[in-house]
Amino acid sequence: MAARRARGPLQRVRRRSRELRERVEALREECAAPGPGQREALSLRCMQLKKLVDENTNALRDLKKADEPAPVGNYNQRKEEEEKLLLKLSQQLQKLVLALDQDNTTKKSSVDKHHQKGPQSEDENEEEDESEDEESSEEKDSEEAEDDDDDDKLLDDPNVKECIAVGNFDAQQEGDLTFTKGEILFIHDKKADGWWVAENSRGERGLVPRTYLAVHKEDDESPEQSEEQVEVVDETADGTEIKKRTDSHWSALRRAIRENDAVEVLTTIGAVPAGFRLSTLFQLLEEGNQFRASHFLQPELTPSQLAFKDLVWDAEKDTISPRPTRVSLIVTLCGCKMIPLPGVSIQVLSRHVRFCLFDGNRVLSNIHTVRATWQPKNPQTWSFSPKVTGILPSLLDGDCFVRSNSLAADIGLLFELGIAYIRNSTGERGELSCGWAFLKLFTSNGMPVPAKMYELPLNGGTPCERGVEVDPSISRRGSGVLHQFMALKKQPVLLLKLRSLSVQSKDILYFLPETLIGSMCYSHLLLFYRQILGDALLKDRASLQSTDLICNPILATFPQLVDQPDLMDALRSAWADRERTLKRSEKRDAEFLKSLFVLVYHDSVFPLLHSTLLPPYKWAEEESEALRWKVIADFLKKSREHDGALQYLLAAENTHTAFDISELAYDFLGEARDDSSV
């Protein structure tokens, strides 16, 4: 008989949580109708049980996915749900302790009064007093519970902005706001995870925990009453565990809030309008690869991690299967109007639009960037997809595809207009947001929004702020009807068009990852990559259980290209040159095209990836971009002249970085995304 499999750490913690929940429920029933003299004992049991709950919570937070003996699907989500359950149990026990302690105090005062009376009257009224005490305590408990519920609802009301601190809080990390008990805070945004964006009377802004706040009521209470009320709430705050932040996007917001001092300096000297902020999406891109296209291009694992979620083999057609998604459309950026101009003290290096899928709380896709062009005569108007000689650079292409299978009801597109700048006086570089807009992709009935032209007004501040104008000076210049009409005409807007997919577009986009945003001009190259990936993982692998490295230079290096637009343009150019020489029958042969793409890849971008002549890719640095394109153009020219890259590789003047096995080996298990990512 096979031995029973040992439980994993997470399973043991969850089992312990269920036992604790049953004990809490039983203890709550006992506390609902306690017998004479049992309140102190029950209070002690509540504190002991709360200690056990806190110990289990700490054990849960110390767990890591790598400690599990076997793969666990939706590990992060299960861990987060378990932490919410334990936090709820801790709060219930804390309230029970407070209620029992209050009842004990009330009962002791009544006992003292009884001792002052004669023994005879004490015996006569003993049963009556006990019943009255129990009834009054039950009424008091119900009233307190109702008051707590009302206060919580009022505190969560988005229209309630002023709150009072009920305890001292020291910042735990950069971006948090330190405050003291009794301090009045103005709430800018109430996030669902319990960490709110607040501002104190000195204008300092940061993140604060909701559990340390109460609604600021400006009524005629006496100082004693208000002080006593704050003190009780303070005990609750001190006894409550601060909810741990699980949203990785908060780190970018903390940086934006912390570094807003630089923006305030620029605003004070008149270099930028008051509604400009540090770019939130740029901060997310700087944190790592989590929001880059190279990350979402990798195959996604199923919850069991035994198969691929968005890569399925079609045995009849001997290729990967198409995957329609809930969101499959084309976004065409048409232009931006009335974008405020920065002052002469800063030099603009790039004007661009970054956008991604967003549900109001989380970024759900990669962040795609399209650079804008403008005319010196009219710098407030941005345009996209300019007419150029040769191929249009992918960075300037305003036609973008959007794919997602997210079931979020509030899913939409978050657009952030930005400028990369350098200060003339200090040489300081940075990126500012010139405004943002959000376009919801589904109506309240769950129907997709119509494919048409949209004119989106831009909001100032960051996506977590509300009611901020990009340039408040426009609306402050007058109050008449004519002025309001003129001010409306001067408000910055983003023009875009949503388009449904054509049959030809579906034949390409349905084979791409389920979540991805990219340029339409290189979508056919992504299709080749996905087909080669499917062959390697699903067709040619000796065993589907094998996790060995796969020797394939394209799979190992292609994701790097997607994050370097100039190299993607080099591959597009090389493929277009080769495609023009093909016969009609060859263009219809999928296997022939795939093998030809492999040859073109090795003769074009693969040598460039490891050339020492090619500088590293740097965003919005004109000299670096020009030097890179010169190296790329020279290489492509020599490759065409010599019918391949071999002679270029053997030339003594061309040097390359030292060989690394990662240039050839594809570790699909290390690169694949699990089902809980983003």
Side-chain angles (χ1 to χ4, degrees):
M1 184 174 178
R4 187 177 179 181
R5 189 177 65 180
R7 293 190 180 92
L10 180 59
Q11 191 175 3
R12 289 196 296 270
V13 170
R14 295 183 69 188
R15 183 182 179 89
R16 177 63 172 163
S17 299
R18 301 301 176 269
E19 294 174 355
L20 292 172
R21 183 173 63 179
E22 293 175 1
R23 293 176 62 180
V24 170
E25 291 297 330
L27 188 56
R28 290 182 67 186
E29 292 178 2
E30 291 184 43
C31 293
Q38 291 185 348
R39 296 184 184 276
E40 291 186 5
L42 289 173
S43 178
L44 181 61
R45 286 173 58 190
C46 285
M47 290 188 287
Q48 292 174 344
L49 191 55
K50 183 179 183 302
K51 184 178 179 182
L52 295 177
V53 171
D54 293 341
E55 290 176 355
N56 204 44
T57 303
N58 294 331
L60 175 69
R61 290 173 177 170
D62 292 337
L63 294 183
K64 296 180 181 178
K65 191 173 183 179
D67 298 333
E68 296 294 329
V72 178
N74 295 332
Y75 181 86
N76 294 331
Q77 181 180 351
R78 294 185 182 185
K79 187 176 176 182
E80 184 177 348
E81 291 173 354
E82 206 63 29
E83 188 171 349
K84 289 180 180 178
L85 170 63
L86 291 170
L87 178 61
K88 182 179 179 181
L89 294 179
S90 180
Q91 291 174 343
Q92 290 175 349
L93 291 169
Q94 181 69 21
K95 289 182 179 180
L96 284 178
V97 171
L98 289 173
L100 290 170
D101 288 346
Q102 267 187 334
D103 292 341
N104 285 335
T105 304
T106 305
K107 190 170 182 181
K108 286 180 181 179
S109 62
S110 63
V111 169
D112 292 339
K113 292 181 180 178
H114 283 306
H115 280 296
Q116 293 175 2
K117 298 179 181 180
Q120 184 177 358
S121 62
E122 184 178 321
D123 294 335
E124 291 175 355
N125 298 328
E126 182 176 358
E127 295 180 0
E128 183 179 351
D129 290 343
E130 286 182 0
S131 62
E132 288 178 358
D133 287 342
E134 290 177 4
E135 290 176 2
S136 62
S137 64
E138 290 176 2
E139 292 176 359
K140 199 169 186 179
D141 290 344
S142 62
E143 290 175 0
E144 287 179 354
E146 292 176 0
D147 291 342
D148 289 343
D149 292 339
D150 292 341
D151 289 342
D152 286 342
K153 291 179 181 178
L154 188 59
L155 183 60
D156 291 330
D157 188 345
N159 296 322
V160 177
K161 297 295 185 181
E162 282 196 356
C163 293
I164 186 171
V166 297
N168 299 328
F169 175 75
D170 294 326
Q172 298 177 344
Q173 50 188 302
E174 293 186 27
D176 292 349
L177 180 64
T178 298
F179 55 82
T180 57
K181 176 181 170 182
E183 190 172 350
I184 305 299
L185 300 174
F186 183 82
I187 307 301
H188 286 278
D189 190 32
K190 299 183 178 183
K191 303 298 290 185
D193 67 351
W195 285 89
W196 294 356
V197 181
E199 183 177 348
N200 59 21
S201 59
R202 298 179 296 278
E204 299 170 342
R205 188 179 295 187
L207 300 174
V208 299
R210 175 193 179 279
T211 52
Y212 274 65
L213 301 177
V215 178
H216 181 224
K217 299 177 181 178
E218 297 181 354
D219 49 18
D220 295 328
E221 289 182 346
S222 63
E224 293 81 3
Q225 289 176 332
S226 60
E227 185 175 342
E228 181 180 355
Q229 182 181 359
V230 173
E231 184 64 28
V232 173
V233 181
D234 186 30
E235 290 177 5
T236 306
D238 290 341
T240 304
E241 291 286 340
I242 300 175
K243 185 174 181 181
K244 186 178 180 182
R245 277 169 290 208
T246 56
D247 193 348
S248 62
H249 312 171
W250 274 109
S251 55
L253 180 58
R254 284 198 304 272
R255 287 178 62 188
I257 292 172
R258 182 177 73 248
E259 296 175 6
N260 259 347
D261 292 341
V263 183
E264 290 178 2
V265 171
L266 294 176
T267 304
T268 303
I269 64 177
V272 297
F276 279 27
R277 298 286 189 274
L278 288 179
S279 170
T280 302
L281 297 187
F282 177 70
Q283 302 284 353
L284 289 175
L285 285 174
E286 289 293 287
E287 288 189 346
N289 294 327
Q290 184 182 1
F291 300 105
R292 296 185 179 273
S294 57
H295 174 74
F296 284 86
L297 200 59
Q298 301 294 350
E300 184 176 1
L301 293 171
T302 59
S304 66
Q305 300 187 4
L306 297 176
F308 297 103
K309 181 180 178 182
D310 59 350
L311 199 64
V312 180
W313 189 256
D314 187 341
E316 293 184 3
K317 297 182 179 180
D318 197 32
T319 186
I320 56 176
S321 300
R323 306 281 293 181
T325 54
R326 183 178 179 227
V327 177
S328 286
L329 51 86
I330 296 175
V331 178
T332 300
L333 298 178
C334 301
C336 306
K337 295 181 179 179
M338 304 308 296
I339 308 302
L341 298 176
V344 295
S345 60
I346 66 173
Q347 177 187 351
V348 177
L349 304 176
S350 171
R351 291 172 170 88
H352 49 267
V353 174
R354 301 189 192 274
F355 69 101
C356 60
L357 288 164
F358 189 64
D359 66 354
N361 187 39
R362 295 186 308 145
V363 174
L364 303 177
S365 70
N366 62 297
I367 299 171
H368 184 66
T369 304
V370 180
R371 181 170 288 173
T373 57
W374 72 97
Q375 298 297 328
K377 294 181 180 180
N378 190 13
Q380 288 185 295
T381 300
W382 300 4
S383 58
F384 305 93
S385 303
K387 294 182 180 180
V388 297
T389 304
I391 65 170
L392 175 67
S394 56
L395 189 59
L396 303 179
D397 185 18
D399 288 333
C400 309
F401 65 84
V402 178
R403 278 175 56 84
S404 175
N405 236 358
S406 172
L407 298 178
D410 296 328
I411 189 172
L413 290 170
L414 174 64
F415 298 90
E416 186 183 65
L417 277 66
I419 58 170
Y421 72 92
I422 181 171
R423 288 188 65 181
N424 296 328
S425 58
T426 63
E428 172 192 358
R429 291 176 177 264
E431 181 160 326
L432 297 176
S433 167
C434 307
W436 61 274
F438 181 72
L439 176 61
K440 205 171 177 182
L441 294 179
F442 292 90
T443 65
S444 57
N445 299 327
M447 298 297 294
V449 296
K452 64 175 185 178
M453 182 75 74
Y454 289 88
E455 184 174 299
L456 304 179
L458 296 182
N459 304 283
T462 64
C464 70
E465 296 178 86
R466 297 293 183 270
V468 180
E469 297 182 40
V470 176
D471 190 357
S473 63
I474 296 177
S475 59
R476 288 199 299 261
R477 291 171 186 167
S479 57
V481 176
L482 179 60
H483 163 74
Q484 291 178 1
F485 177 76
M486 296 299 295
L488 186 62
K489 288 289 185 180
K490 293 182 179 179
Q491 292 299 326
V493 294
L494 169 65
L495 301 175
L496 61 92
K497 185 177 182 180
L498 296 187
R499 294 190 288 138
S500 55
L501 300 184
S502 63
V503 176
Q504 185 179 4
S505 299
K506 290 179 181 179
D507 291 341
I508 296 177
L509 299 183
Y510 278 5
F511 290 92
L512 301 188
E514 289 186 354
T515 301
L516 188 66
I517 299 178
S519 175
M520 283 296 297
C521 65
Y522 57 64
S523 58
H524 60 296
L525 304 181
L526 301 180
L527 174 60
F528 283 129
Y529 169 76
R530 291 282 289 180
Q531 290 174 336
I532 295 171
L533 183 67
D535 289 347
L537 295 181
L538 304 176
K539 179 183 177 181
D540 300 333
R541 201 151 44 117
S543 170
L544 293 181
Q545 284 73 42
S546 173
T547 58
D548 294 339
L549 297 178
I550 298 175
C551 181
N552 192 311
I554 294 182
L555 298 185
T557 59
F558 186 87
Q560 301 175 32
L561 299 185
V562 186
D563 295 331
Q564 302 181 52
D566 50 5
L567 287 180
M568 285 297 291
D569 294 336
L571 182 58
R572 286 172 55 211
S573 177
W575 175 252
D577 291 342
R578 186 62 65 90
E579 194 177 27
R580 280 193 288 267
T581 65
L582 299 181
K583 300 176 183 178
R584 185 175 300 176
S585 59
E586 293 174 334
K587 292 181 179 181
R588 292 196 295 263
D589 189 341
E591 289 299 320
F592 173 78
L593 290 177
K594 194 163 40 178
S595 60
L596 184 62
F597 174 78
V598 174
L599 294 176
V600 172
Y601 187 90
H602 285 89
D603 280 339
S604 57
V605 292
F606 185 70
L608 284 170
L609 279 171
H610 309 286
S611 172
T612 57
L613 302 178
L614 188 70
Y617 181 77
K618 295 180 180 179
W619 170 250
E621 289 197 9
E622 187 175 356
E623 292 183 4
S624 175
E625 291 177 359
L627 181 58
R628 281 176 61 91
W629 187 244
K630 183 179 183 304
V631 173
I632 292 172
D634 290 345
F635 170 77
L636 292 179
K637 181 180 178 181
K638 293 178 180 178
S639 181
R640 283 193 297 267
E641 291 174 352
H642 299 96
D643 195 23
L646 182 59
Q647 187 169 345
Y648 176 87
L649 293 172
L650 296 177
E653 64 272 13
N654 299 321
T655 57
H656 292 75
T657 57
F659 176 76
D660 187 342
I661 190 64
S662 62
E663 300 172 17
L664 304 176
Y666 176 63
D667 179 11
F668 75 90
L669 199 60
E671 297 291 346
R673 297 183 292 128
D674 60 38
D675 191 47
S676 61
S677 64
V678 186

